[in-house]
């Protein structure tokens, strides 16, 4: 994903390369039992076979179709390493963050769209607000994605009250008239790692998600609910550090994000339903 070089100055996303697929042939004419073998995959599906077969991911070109008619032309992303897009590669999946994939789908649907990703690893919610909120606002976005809070949770002295206050300030700074605010309830990694169940990480993620959900409701944000996503119990959704998504995880998050935005388009960008 190519980032904007400076606040207020956007850069078009790079659309994914086009590929093509072949349908399997039917039974051979005049034969009662012989059937032809399925046609070999080509293009995108051949390059990323696991992603092409994954029911929780989007098919080639599906993201752009879902965002057809989107009103957004200036897409900004703010947050920590989850916004930046860190994560392990995975065989059979295209390497690309959820933000990159979302931007690519938007550009394909609206070629005049631009975007910037200010996400930076290691930042707390307060640091995201202090270092990124004004820069994002200067970009004049009409779609803003916010992903943060995980570092607050992992650092000693986690204070839900402090995070809630900072989250509200951050959302309030970005929720301008005519702007769609987008945020995420984080996936429950403990669903995929039994030894974490009932422990401080699972409880902390639940508390953090509660903060995010309440802030999203107060500020009219679109909430992409990943905590109980159907794939949340799949270990290969998470990188080795159990913090960041793998390439598959990013593909799944992107699919959920694009589907949530598609529902907004269908609803006329009116109320902001949970994804």
């Amino acid at each position: 994903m190519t980032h904007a070089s400076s606040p207020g100055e956007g850069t078009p996303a790079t659309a994914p390369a086009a590929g093509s697929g072949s349908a399997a042939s039917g039974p051979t004419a005049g034969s009662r039992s012989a059937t032809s073998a399925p046609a070999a995959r080509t293009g995108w599906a051949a390059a990323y076979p696991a992603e092409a077969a994954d029911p929780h991911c989007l098919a080639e070109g599906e993201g752009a179709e879902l965002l057809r008619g989107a009103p957004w032309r200036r897409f900004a992303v703010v947050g920590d390493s989850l916004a930046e897009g860190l994560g392990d590669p995975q065989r059979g999946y295209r390497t690309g963050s959820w933000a990159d994939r979302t931007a690519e789908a938007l550009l394909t649907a609206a070629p005049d769209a631009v975007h910037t990703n200010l996400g930076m690893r290691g930042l707390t919610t307060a640091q995201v607000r202090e270092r990124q909120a004004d820069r994002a606002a200067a970009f004049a976005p009409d779609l803003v994605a916010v992903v943060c809070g995980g570092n607050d949770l992992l650092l000693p002295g986690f204070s839900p009250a402090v995070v809630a206050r900072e989250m509200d300030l951050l959302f309030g700074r970005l929720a301008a008239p005519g702007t769609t605010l987008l945020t995420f309830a984080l996936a429950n990694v403990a669903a995929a790692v039994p030894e974490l169940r009932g422990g401080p990480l699972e409880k902390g993620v639940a508390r953090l998600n509660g903060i995010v959900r309440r802030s999203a409701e107060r500020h009219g944000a679109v909430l992409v609910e990943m905590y109980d996503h159907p794939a949340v119990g799949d270990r290969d959704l998470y990188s080795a550090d159990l913090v960041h998504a793998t390439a598959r995880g990013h593909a799944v998050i992107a699919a959920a994000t694009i589907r949530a935005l598609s529902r907004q388009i269908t609803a006329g960008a009116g109320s902001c339903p949970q994804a």
Side-chain angles (χ1 to χ4, degrees):
M1 172 171 168
T2 306
H3 298 182
S5 57
S6 62
E9 190 175 314
T11 304
T14 301
S20 61
S22 301
S25 302
T28 304
S31 170
R32 296 171 55 191
S33 59
T35 58
S36 60
R41 286 176 172 171
T42 60
W44 179 87
Y48 312 109
E51 184 172 336
D54 194 324
H56 301 297
C57 297
L58 298 179
E60 182 186 16
E62 186 179 357
E65 282 299 316
L66 287 169
L67 295 185
R68 188 175 299 280
W72 308 291
R73 294 298 182 272
R74 302 185 68 81
F75 174 37
V77 179
V78 302
D80 53 27
S81 58
L82 302 182
E84 184 181 350
L86 299 189
D88 296 341
Q90 191 161 338
R91 180 183 293 274
Y93 288 83
R94 183 167 68 92
T95 299
S97 74
W98 68 266
D100 285 357
R101 290 165 176 267
T102 302
E104 289 166 359
L106 179 60
L107 175 72
T108 304
D112 57 337
V114 293
H115 75 284
T116 186
N117 188 338
L118 303 175
M120 182 175 295
R121 66 198 70 183
L123 300 187
T124 63
T125 303
Q127 290 170 331
V128 170
R129 178 181 63 80
E130 292 164 358
R131 302 180 190 183
Q132 298 178 13
D134 287 345
R135 293 169 62 198
F139 181 72
D142 50 16
L143 176 62
V144 186
V146 181
V147 191
C148 59
N151 289 313
D152 300 86
L153 176 62
L154 296 174
L155 290 173
F158 170 59
S159 170
V162 170
V163 175
R165 182 177 68 249
E166 290 293 340
M167 196 78 70
D168 267 337
L169 290 171
L170 175 60
F171 281 24
R173 179 68 179 93
L174 298 172
T179 298
T180 298
L181 193 61
L182 176 75
T183 193
F184 301 80
L186 301 183
N188 179 22
V189 64
V193 185
E195 54 267 35
L196 296 178
R197 292 174 189 167
L201 180 61
E202 183 175 35
K203 293 175 181 177
V205 169
R207 295 184 74 180
L208 175 61
N209 283 342
I211 293 169
V212 172
R213 292 186 188 102
R214 289 189 290 273
S215 290
E217 184 176 2
R218 279 193 291 271
H219 295 279
V222 177
L223 177 65
V224 180
E225 182 63 71
M226 296 303 300
Y227 186 77
D228 55 358
H229 186 281
V232 75
D234 296 347
R235 178 61 183 83
D236 65 355
L237 218 65
Y238 312 96
S239 290
D241 61 9
L242 299 180
V243 173
H244 301 101
T246 58
R248 182 190 180 218
H250 279 289
V252 170
I253 296 168
T257 302
I258 291 169
R259 286 170 177 147
L261 292 174
S262 180
R263 286 190 284 273
Q264 287 296 104
I265 298 169
T266 301
S271 60
C272 299
Q274 175 178 302

